[in-house]
Amino acid sequence: MTAPTLQDLAPAGLDVTTDPYPVYAALRAKGPVHRILVPESGEVWLVVARDEARAALTDHRLRNDIRFSSSWTDDGGHAIGLNMLQTDAPQHTRLRALVAREFTPGRIEALRPRIRETADGLLDTMIPAGSADLVHSFALPLPLTVICELLGVPSGDHDDFHSWSSEIVTPTSPEAAGAAVTAMTGYFATLIEDRRANPADDLMSALVAVSAPGDGPAAPASAPLSPEELLGMAFLLLVAGHETTVNLISGSVLALLTHPDQLAALRADPGLVRGAIEETLRYDGPVGAAAFRHAAEPVQIGGTVIPAGDTVLVSLAAASRAPRHFPDPDRFDIRREQPPR
């Protein structure tokens, strides 16, 4: 028997794509783990309770590597290179360490003037018009410009990068997604070779400097980035770096505009901005679920045994509205005291 989709579980009259939270609340009331069908991906175990979500995210038996899935045949053609979302320790630890050492406080601080300049320029263009599409005019170009400049991508290529990444993240068809992967892979390969020959003061050059120029076997813990890993790292930084920020900016503004008392409080006290960001991440964050994880062996979560080879999907959105941890969870409150992480 095929498992139901989230839409199948939605209360009458509700669309899970526009308001999934009542569905999550109903599922939490029945239990922390549920078998559902994710269209285009197959059946998964959905984790909706906060404690069980935290446990699943830290359980080493649940692997990022899709080869642990019993249904695995290939990566679907929608991945570029090999990135941290596809690997487990010790390779994940190694990849994270290599990129983390390039995100030094000095490099990040050096970006601040350019980020401010870009934001001010976008606002200066929007204000005289009297109205604007927030996503198109600000939320998208700000992080896309910063990430592309960080990687050393010329401004004239930014639109192409957004088009490719959007197609890869939310494919309109297998053919279109494949074409986007091919185009982005080719572009990154050319950019990497250029930075290898002509290093610049950008993150791509720094990553190239800690990479190996040729193909080789699986890297030991101390090895430089392989060519496949270098491609994957560039892809992950671009897509994860700008798509999530677009959603966070637009989600924050929407939450504030639909809660005028909270907007007034923030305007009266800009010191509340950190709390506003944290509350937006909880209330309606930019990523609804973690990446798929696959059981390398039988795993028990919240009383449910996940068979080896099955896939687990942790709902960050559902866990972030668990009433035991967040009193009155459907209320947007920028002064909310956050529970321990």
Side-chain angles (χ1 to χ4, degrees), residues 278-299:
E278 288 292 331
E279 180 66 345
T280 300
L281 288 168
R282 182 203 69 82
Y283 179 76
D284 194 14
V287 179
F292 289 127
R293 284 168 165 76
H294 315 283
E297 59 184 83
V299 179

Side-chain angles (χ1 to χ4, degrees), residues 190-217:
T190 300
L191 183 62
I192 287 168
E193 288 310 307
D194 177 72
R195 290 300 186 270
R196 201 178 295 282
N198 306 290
D201 185 22
D202 54 45
L203 182 58
M204 182 64 82
S205 296
L207 292 175
V208 167
V210 294
S211 68
D215 295 323

Side-chain angles (χ1 to χ4, degrees), residues 1-336:
M1 180 177 178
T2 302
T5 66
L6 267 182
Q7 185 59 55
D8 293 333
L9 299 172
L14 290 181
D15 182 354
V16 73
T17 60
T18 57
D19 188 10
Y21 298 104
V23 184
Y24 294 145
L27 290 179
R28 277 196 310 270
K30 294 180 179 179
V33 181
H34 301 270
R35 186 74 166 168
I36 69 165
L37 174 67
V38 177
E40 310 301 328
S41 297
E43 295 190 8
V44 305
W45 296 97
L46 180 70
V47 182
V48 294
R50 186 173 186 269
D51 289 339
E52 285 76 10
R54 287 173 63 89
L57 290 173
T58 57
D59 194 319
H60 70 278
R61 296 170 297 176
L62 296 177
R63 306 294 184 87
N64 293 312
D65 191 333
I66 194 174
R67 290 174 296 181
F68 283 97
S69 168
S70 59
S71 62
W72 176 79
T73 53
D74 56 48
D75 65 9
H78 297 166
I80 293 177
L82 182 65
N83 64 63
M84 289 184 284
L85 294 184
Q86 300 169 291
T87 58
D88 301 289
Q91 294 302 334
H92 179 95
T93 307
R94 169 182 147 269
L95 292 174
R96 181 167 180 167
L98 284 169
V99 71
R101 75 188 193 190
E102 299 304 330
F103 276 95
T104 61
R107 183 185 290 275
I108 301 303
E109 186 61 31
L111 287 173
R112 187 183 298 274
R114 178 58 181 143
I115 295 173
R116 185 181 297 276
E117 177 187 8
T118 303
D120 288 346
L122 293 170
L123 291 173
D124 288 343
T125 300
M126 293 170 61
I127 292 172
S131 64
D133 181 317
L134 178 68
V135 174
H136 177 78
S137 300
F138 188 84
L140 171 60
L142 176 58
L144 183 61
T145 297
V146 172
I147 291 294
C148 283
E149 290 188 2
L150 185 64
L151 290 173
V153 175
S155 59
D157 297 334
H158 291 187
D159 288 345
D160 285 339
F161 264 77
H162 174 62
S163 176
W164 296 333
S165 66
S166 294
E167 183 61 47
I168 294 168
V169 172
T170 53
T172 57
S173 72
E175 295 76 17
V181 166
T182 299
M184 187 178 284
T185 301
Y187 187 97
F188 271 139
T190 300
L191 183 62
I192 287 168
E193 288 310 307
D194 177 72
R195 290 300 186 270
R196 201 178 295 282
N198 306 290
D201 185 22
D202 54 45
L203 182 58
M204 182 64 82
S205 296
L207 292 175
V208 167
V210 294
S211 68
D215 295 323
S222 59
L225 292 170
S226 70
E228 186 182 21
E229 290 168 344
L230 180 56
L231 269 176
M233 190 71 76
F235 165 72
L236 183 62
L237 289 171
L238 173 73
V239 175
H242 96 268
E243 293 282 356
T244 52
T245 309
V246 172
N247 295 341
L248 179 58
I249 292 173
S250 53
S252 298
V253 173
L254 177 61
L256 289 167
L257 290 176
T258 53
H259 297 82
D261 60 320
Q262 300 298 299
L263 177 57
L266 182 59
R267 283 173 166 166
D269 181 5
L272 294 172
V273 67
R274 183 179 295 275
I277 294 171
E278 288 292 331
E279 180 66 345
T280 300
L281 288 168
R282 182 203 69 82
Y283 179 76
D284 194 14
V287 179
F292 289 127
R293 284 168 165 76
H294 315 283
E297 59 184 83
V299 179
Q300 182 169 293
I301 304 175
T304 297
V305 176
I306 311 298
D310 277 16
T311 298
V312 172
L313 183 63
V314 176
S315 175
L316 305 177
S320 294
R321 293 210 187 184
R324 189 160 69 86
H325 298 279
F326 303 98
D328 195 5
D330 296 327
R331 177 171 55 87
F332 180 69
D333 180 6
I334 65 174
R335 293 189 175 90
R336 182 185 297 273

